[in-house]
Amino acid sequence: MKRREFLKFSTASCMALAAMELGGGKAFFRPAKAMASGELPGSLGAKEVYSVCEMCFWRCPIVAKVKGGKLVKIEGNPKSPANGKRVCARGNSGVQLLYDPDRVKYPMKRTGARGEGKWARISWDEALDEVAYNMKKVRKKYGPHALAYFDHGASAEFMRGLFMHMGTENYSNEPAFFQCVGPVAEAFISSMGYLVSGTRQYTDMGHAKAILLVGSHIGENVHVSHVREYIQGLANGAKLVVVDPRFSAPANKADVWLPIRPGTDTALLLAWINYVIQHKLYDKDFVANHCEGFEAVKEGVKDYTLEWAARICDLKVADMEAAIRMLAKAAPNVTIHPGRHSTWYGRGDVQRHRALAILNGLLGAVAVPGGLYLPTPVKTGKSECPECEAEVEEPDTSLKDDFPYAGNFPGNPTAKIIEATLTGEPYPIKLWGVNGVNILQTIPNPYDTMEAIKKLDFIFTESMMADEAAMWADIVLPGATYLERYDSLHTYDGITPYLAVRQPAVEPLFESKSSYWIARELAKRLGVDCYPCEHEVEYIEEELKGAGLTLEKLNRMGGIVSYKANPYRSRKELKLPTESGKVNLAVAHYEDDDFDPVPKFEPTPAPPKGYARLIYGRVPVHTFSRTMNNLWLHNEWPENHAWVNDEVAAKLGIADGDTIVLENQDGKRSLEVKAKVTPGIRPDAIYLPHGFGSRSKRLTRAYGKGASDQFLITHYENCPFTGASSHRTSFVRIVKGGKALDIPELRPLPREIPRFKKSA
Amino acid sequence: MSQYAMVIDLDRCVGCHACAIACRAEWKVPTEEGYRRNWVKRIGPEKTPYGISYTFFPGLCNHCDHPVCVDVCPVDPEERTFTDFRTGKKTRMEIKATYKDPFTGAVLIAKERCIGCGACVEACPYHARYLDETLDEPKADKCTFCYERLAHGEEPACVKTCIADARIFGDLSDRNSRVYKLVHKEGAKRLESDVVKIGPNVYWKGKKKDLHALFKNYAPRERTWEEVDNMSRRGFLAGLARKTSLKG
């Protein structure tokens, strides 16, 4: 009964209701009772299963709460030194991933055209036989490299071994590398000798006296321990400098916000480096004893003044100066955050992050509290069981050949895999496996990706949800969620090292199977010698043995073992894993490949007249493009909004909340999206939170909600070092009521910056 | 008398929505539009006299000192025994369907007494209550400060999951508690206006610009409960219903 109807009640209906109540044998007002005995309310009294989250790749230790065989709640594992009792919105919503009615329930075979998403239910045997048959056939006909595998996360790890065993160099371990952290990984490996910012993030913000974020929007992107360290640093009084064209959540917490012209970050960083050197703000002892190439840097940056950068970056000299003074004053306890998502502009990405590494070195913020720190590896045993590795065969022409530093990292650039699939050059690629990654919402120019898929002999996915990638598959294998399976040991080597293991909270639903089971069954059919253990628990026990543990013992201890961290070094004992043991301020070996040992400013082309640069980022309740259909998360954040500068909006006659369409420089149009009119973004940029605008009808909640940034990113460039694809090299204008509106240029462009021109 | 209270530190809050979801998970709050015990609303980025602000309104029932939702409840009072879960002390008092707990100061709903009339939902100037119409018999529902969890020695679900420790929960009558210090020494503020002053026990702490934006957008400015002045009529109807059922 609706409340309104009740309020309009007549006496007659009141009596009718009362009579109805009586019919049930109960008085209208039952007497007050104490809390019902027996079952406790909420999650109280539930059975607890220790496990590890995988709503994102960060993998926080969790406790799954199970009542009557049903998962009712997820909380953080209170013994975890990283997240403790806490999980984020997504971690809390794992319950709804498990019970999502849109889950892929059975193995399915395509019945319609590719991309149509029409399937028929088949048996596991039929599905696996078909995948194995096609893998063997393609390998035999075209060679091992005709097989390609796009993967991300724990669900994909076993099958990656299988693809490698087949001899292909085309596994993309992971698209995340070539769409995300590739350039920052390369920059810091060459500068510091280790992976400062890859899957993990070795930045000690919790003890920092100042923090610099360039484009990073911590809090809107959520990795629980990372957020905690950042907030702890701020609560302790750390100063915060945020460089971002948008007034992001951390910009709101910042002491200085620098609303930089997109594409000019390296100019600002080089001017700061010069300023630090000219004003002798650098750590002289550290530079003298622990850095290589200071003189080269000093010479290389001498022309980059704050005044010059102010014009390039469209910032005020006073603000830039205040910011660098704030950071330098905190040295060496200063986090010059290396950044995570770094595939912005293609050409200059590695050098932008090199500039951040140089600042780190100059300020001595290495292996000290508040600076970059060193990982503390957690020792586990080695199990023979999950081994499935083989020598990858060398092709005559490798897809890595154009990118001299791609060889430092596993897998091949995704852009090149797609290009080779499209063109057959330098060799044909005829089969794709996809696991844990929605390639159409992740890799630029999904239109090319769709065309490439049409050329394949075969494509299959292992999926939990029928996302866009699954829509294109010939065979879809239903993967068990992280709440229904075991996975390899999870060790964390950050500032609070620990070991935990993923364990199932409930039995796999429907016909879904664990990724280990799927990989093992496929291996059997391929006749390869992989995954000899009958069950994953066998090899997990083997691995645990090396840490002096058993599964039973680990569970008795609360599902987690923590270790003492060794993140800092005294200046005397500091030896970095570079050749010299020192920070490479200049990277001498870059010269061998015609790259600059010291970064130079190379302008990124500005938007064509009438367009703004499309920038994007995260919302805190969603992971990539994979959680938009989750009931709880969807209801918190069902669609994205396009951020439009208020002055631009006024000139174009766009009001907050208006429905608009974005059109890019290649004429590609987005789905409808609402405008968020705000002073919190520069006039020359439009911001679109990532991952919305789903085009898979089988995601019944997410379908068609908001606009996809990826479907607007049709122009990209490859990082010349690693082959990673750029994602901030597309431009948009606004379409309202069917009419395309040019974005007025409110911030005139300096002469040094060319405009983007479409290549013929 | 104790008064449980919560302080939300906007300087720590990153707007991640973990609190809102943990609440849903714990209490199976219906997911249809309009049902929530606990929410995060985003404010801005917008201009304030103190600079641009992009902040949050993490909200919940305020467990007010003078809860108008209790005032407007039309159900006939009935005497009931209450037990303090900390001390085991007992007391008796008359309650309607919604009442202020004598030991914790939490505003609670005796579900079995609620007639689902929605008067409290309309009266709350903070829109913190909803009428759960997914039930066969609609009932009012809202945040209870996780009373049942407290009784079992657990924290409120939102506090427990808060990734930035931005939610601080405790007893405001305890001068040694953190909430006392945050409220009485560090200037955490109640979301009130000159017109609506009913003594909320949730407080927000933060930068001037963020509090300005929060109050500008979300401080209640209308005495919503004045609109339900036909309380007597509802009381009459409810009473009539009760008499009928007894007679029958």
mmCIF file of all heavy atoms in Angstrom, chain B residues 178-199:
data_model
loop_
_atom_site.group_PDB
_atom_site.id
_atom_site.type_symbol
_atom_site.label_atom_id
_atom_site.label_comp_id
_atom_site.label_asym_id
_atom_site.label_seq_id
_atom_site.Cartn_x
_atom_site.Cartn_y
_atom_site.Cartn_z
ATOM 1 N N ARG B 178 36.338 10.906 22.001
ATOM 2 C CA ARG B 178 36.844 11.697 20.867
ATOM 3 C C ARG B 178 35.752 12.587 20.304
ATOM 4 O O ARG B 178 36.012 13.711 19.890
ATOM 5 C CB ARG B 178 37.399 10.776 19.775
ATOM 6 C CG ARG B 178 38.853 10.421 20.011
ATOM 7 C CD ARG B 178 39.454 9.765 18.779
ATOM 8 N NE ARG B 178 39.654 10.698 17.686
ATOM 9 C CZ ARG B 178 39.643 10.343 16.401
ATOM 10 N NH1 ARG B 178 39.426 9.097 16.055
ATOM 11 N NH2 ARG B 178 39.848 11.246 15.457
ATOM 12 N N VAL B 179 34.528 12.055 20.281
ATOM 13 C CA VAL B 179 33.456 12.899 19.723
ATOM 14 C C VAL B 179 33.266 14.149 20.583
ATOM 15 O O VAL B 179 33.036 15.238 20.049
ATOM 16 C CB VAL B 179 32.108 12.149 19.558
ATOM 17 C CG1 VAL B 179 32.114 11.231 18.354
ATOM 18 C CG2 VAL B 179 31.694 11.406 20.793
ATOM 19 N N TYR B 180 33.400 14.005 21.887
ATOM 20 C CA TYR B 180 33.250 15.176 22.760
ATOM 21 C C TYR B 180 34.284 16.232 22.391
ATOM 22 O O TYR B 180 33.975 17.406 22.225
ATOM 23 C CB TYR B 180 33.405 14.764 24.236
ATOM 24 C CG TYR B 180 33.212 15.926 25.180
ATOM 25 C CD1 TYR B 180 31.942 16.209 25.718
ATOM 26 C CD2 TYR B 180 34.276 16.771 25.517
ATOM 27 C CE1 TYR B 180 31.757 17.292 26.561
ATOM 28 C CE2 TYR B 180 34.097 17.851 26.356
ATOM 29 C CZ TYR B 180 32.835 18.105 26.883
ATOM 30 O OH TYR B 180 32.649 19.193 27.710
ATOM 31 N N LYS B 181 35.522 15.756 22.238
ATOM 32 C CA LYS B 181 36.605 16.701 21.907
ATOM 33 C C LYS B 181 36.373 17.362 20.548
ATOM 34 O O LYS B 181 36.565 18.562 20.385
ATOM 35 C CB LYS B 181 37.953 15.982 21.922
ATOM 36 C CG LYS B 181 38.432 15.770 23.349
ATOM 37 C CD LYS B 181 39.718 14.975 23.408
ATOM 38 C CE LYS B 181 39.927 14.540 24.858
ATOM 39 N NZ LYS B 181 40.448 13.177 24.979
ATOM 40 N N LEU B 182 35.976 16.538 19.581
ATOM 41 C CA LEU B 182 35.770 17.083 18.235
ATOM 42 C C LEU B 182 34.644 18.107 18.222
ATOM 43 O O LEU B 182 34.708 19.112 17.527
ATOM 44 C CB LEU B 182 35.468 15.941 17.249
ATOM 45 C CG LEU B 182 36.679 15.072 16.901
ATOM 46 C CD1 LEU B 182 36.251 13.745 16.294
ATOM 47 C CD2 LEU B 182 37.601 15.819 15.937
ATOM 48 N N VAL B 183 33.619 17.861 19.025
ATOM 49 C CA VAL B 183 32.473 18.770 19.032
ATOM 50 C C VAL B 183 32.752 19.999 19.894
ATOM 51 O O VAL B 183 32.506 21.135 19.480
ATOM 52 C CB VAL B 183 31.203 18.033 19.529
ATOM 53 C CG1 VAL B 183 30.082 19.014 19.842
ATOM 54 C CG2 VAL B 183 30.758 17.016 18.480
ATOM 55 N N HIS B 184 33.288 19.778 21.071
ATOM 56 C CA HIS B 184 33.401 20.891 22.008
ATOM 57 C C HIS B 184 34.716 21.646 21.916
ATOM 58 O O HIS B 184 34.818 22.765 22.380
ATOM 59 C CB HIS B 184 33.168 20.397 23.435
ATOM 60 C CG HIS B 184 31.757 19.917 23.645
ATOM 61 N ND1 HIS B 184 30.675 20.771 23.675
ATOM 62 C CD2 HIS B 184 31.253 18.674 23.795
ATOM 63 C CE1 HIS B 184 29.569 20.076 23.842
ATOM 64 N NE2 HIS B 184 29.885 18.795 23.920
ATOM 65 N N LYS B 185 35.746 21.018 21.332
ATOM 66 C CA LYS B 185 37.037 21.724 21.255
ATOM 67 C C LYS B 185 37.494 21.987 19.829
ATOM 68 O O LYS B 185 38.251 22.904 19.587
ATOM 69 C CB LYS B 185 38.101 20.924 22.009
ATOM 70 C CG LYS B 185 37.694 20.747 23.464
ATOM 71 C CD LYS B 185 38.807 20.265 24.359
ATOM 72 C CE LYS B 185 38.311 20.292 25.791
ATOM 73 N NZ LYS B 185 38.636 19.068 26.528
ATOM 74 N N GLU B 186 37.036 21.140 18.908
ATOM 75 C CA GLU B 186 37.549 21.320 17.548
ATOM 76 C C GLU B 186 36.495 21.829 16.582
ATOM 77 O O GLU B 186 36.709 21.855 15.373
ATOM 78 C CB GLU B 186 38.174 20.003 17.043
ATOM 79 C CG GLU B 186 39.412 19.657 17.855
ATOM 80 C CD GLU B 186 40.076 18.377 17.382
ATOM 81 O OE1 GLU B 186 40.097 18.145 16.169
ATOM 82 O OE2 GLU B 186 40.549 17.615 18.242
ATOM 83 N N GLY B 187 35.357 22.218 17.121
ATOM 84 C CA GLY B 187 34.393 22.960 16.307
ATOM 85 C C GLY B 187 33.643 22.180 15.259
ATOM 86 O O GLY B 187 33.242 22.747 14.240
ATOM 87 N N ALA B 188 33.441 20.876 15.464
ATOM 88 C CA ALA B 188 32.591 20.135 14.527
ATOM 89 C C ALA B 188 31.173 20.708 14.614
ATOM 90 O O ALA B 188 30.721 21.097 15.692
ATOM 91 C CB ALA B 188 32.602 18.652 14.873
ATOM 92 N N LYS B 189 30.508 20.765 13.460
ATOM 93 C CA LYS B 189 29.243 21.523 13.405
ATOM 94 C C LYS B 189 28.051 20.649 13.059
ATOM 95 O O LYS B 189 28.140 19.733 12.258
ATOM 96 C CB LYS B 189 29.366 22.628 12.361
ATOM 97 C CG LYS B 189 30.301 23.707 12.799
ATOM 98 C CD LYS B 189 30.045 24.995 12.054
ATOM 99 C CE LYS B 189 30.770 26.170 12.700
ATOM 100 N NZ LYS B 189 32.069 25.857 13.319
ATOM 101 N N ARG B 190 26.900 21.009 13.669
ATOM 102 C CA ARG B 190 25.636 20.360 13.339
ATOM 103 C C ARG B 190 25.073 21.024 12.092
ATOM 104 O O ARG B 190 25.218 22.237 11.924
ATOM 105 C CB ARG B 190 24.619 20.572 14.455
ATOM 106 C CG ARG B 190 25.150 20.283 15.810
ATOM 107 C CD ARG B 190 24.152 20.728 16.864
ATOM 108 N NE ARG B 190 24.090 19.665 17.868
ATOM 109 C CZ ARG B 190 23.278 19.644 18.889
ATOM 110 N NH1 ARG B 190 22.409 20.609 19.072
ATOM 111 N NH2 ARG B 190 23.297 18.657 19.737
ATOM 112 N N LEU B 191 24.395 20.251 11.286
ATOM 113 C CA LEU B 191 23.800 20.779 10.062
ATOM 114 C C LEU B 191 22.449 21.405 10.399
ATOM 115 O O LEU B 191 21.407 20.764 10.285
ATOM 116 C CB LEU B 191 23.654 19.628 9.053
ATOM 117 C CG LEU B 191 23.388 19.955 7.600
ATOM 118 C CD1 LEU B 191 24.385 20.948 7.035
ATOM 119 C CD2 LEU B 191 23.410 18.688 6.768
ATOM 120 N N GLU B 192 22.508 22.655 10.862
ATOM 121 C CA GLU B 192 21.285 23.347 11.301
ATOM 122 C C GLU B 192 21.166 24.692 10.601
ATOM 123 O O GLU B 192 22.140 25.203 10.050
ATOM 124 C CB GLU B 192 21.362 23.617 12.810
ATOM 125 C CG GLU B 192 21.211 22.387 13.667
ATOM 126 C CD GLU B 192 21.207 22.744 15.143
ATOM 127 O OE1 GLU B 192 22.082 23.521 15.577
ATOM 128 O OE2 GLU B 192 20.332 22.246 15.849
ATOM 129 N N SER B 193 19.995 25.270 10.687
ATOM 130 C CA SER B 193 19.811 26.643 10.230
ATOM 131 C C SER B 193 19.038 27.384 11.315
ATOM 132 O O SER B 193 18.605 26.778 12.293
ATOM 133 C CB SER B 193 19.035 26.658 8.912
ATOM 134 O OG SER B 193 17.705 26.231 9.149
ATOM 135 N N ASP B 194 18.829 28.688 11.120
ATOM 136 C CA ASP B 194 18.082 29.458 12.118
ATOM 137 C C ASP B 194 16.673 28.906 12.276
ATOM 138 O O ASP B 194 16.082 28.980 13.348
ATOM 139 C CB ASP B 194 18.000 30.936 11.692
ATOM 140 C CG ASP B 194 19.373 31.579 11.770
ATOM 141 O OD1 ASP B 194 20.244 31.012 12.469
ATOM 142 O OD2 ASP B 194 19.585 32.618 11.115
ATOM 143 N N VAL B 195 16.147 28.369 11.206
ATOM 144 C CA VAL B 195 14.765 27.905 11.230
ATOM 145 C C VAL B 195 14.663 26.476 11.768
ATOM 146 O O VAL B 195 13.730 26.138 12.488
ATOM 147 C CB VAL B 195 14.164 27.975 9.803
ATOM 148 C CG1 VAL B 195 12.690 27.594 9.802
ATOM 149 C CG2 VAL B 195 14.350 29.377 9.230
ATOM 150 N N VAL B 196 15.615 25.664 11.414
ATOM 151 C CA VAL B 196 15.565 24.259 11.833
ATOM 152 C C VAL B 196 16.667 23.996 12.860
ATOM 153 O O VAL B 196 17.851 23.915 12.519
ATOM 154 C CB VAL B 196 15.726 23.308 10.624
ATOM 155 C CG1 VAL B 196 15.739 21.857 11.085
ATOM 156 C CG2 VAL B 196 14.610 23.546 9.624
ATOM 157 N N LYS B 197 16.273 23.904 14.081
ATOM 158 C CA LYS B 197 17.210 23.650 15.180
ATOM 159 C C LYS B 197 16.600 22.596 16.078
ATOM 160 O O LYS B 197 15.843 22.905 16.989
ATOM 161 C CB LYS B 197 17.429 24.941 15.988
ATOM 162 C CG LYS B 197 18.594 25.787 15.531
ATOM 163 C CD LYS B 197 18.862 26.858 16.573
ATOM 164 C CE LYS B 197 19.840 27.916 16.127
ATOM 165 N NZ LYS B 197 21.130 27.451 15.736
ATOM 166 N N ILE B 198 16.904 21.341 15.765
ATOM 167 C CA ILE B 198 16.297 20.290 16.575
ATOM 168 C C ILE B 198 17.363 19.416 17.233
ATOM 169 O O ILE B 198 17.110 18.300 17.646
ATOM 170 C CB ILE B 198 15.306 19.445 15.744
ATOM 171 C CG1 ILE B 198 15.982 18.893 14.489
ATOM 172 C CG2 ILE B 198 14.080 20.257 15.381
ATOM 173 C CD1 ILE B 198 15.094 17.932 13.696
ATOM 174 N N GLY B 199 18.572 19.962 17.296
ATOM 175 C CA GLY B 199 19.624 19.298 18.051
ATOM 176 C C GLY B 199 20.144 18.014 17.449
ATOM 177 O O GLY B 199 20.211 16.979 18.113
#
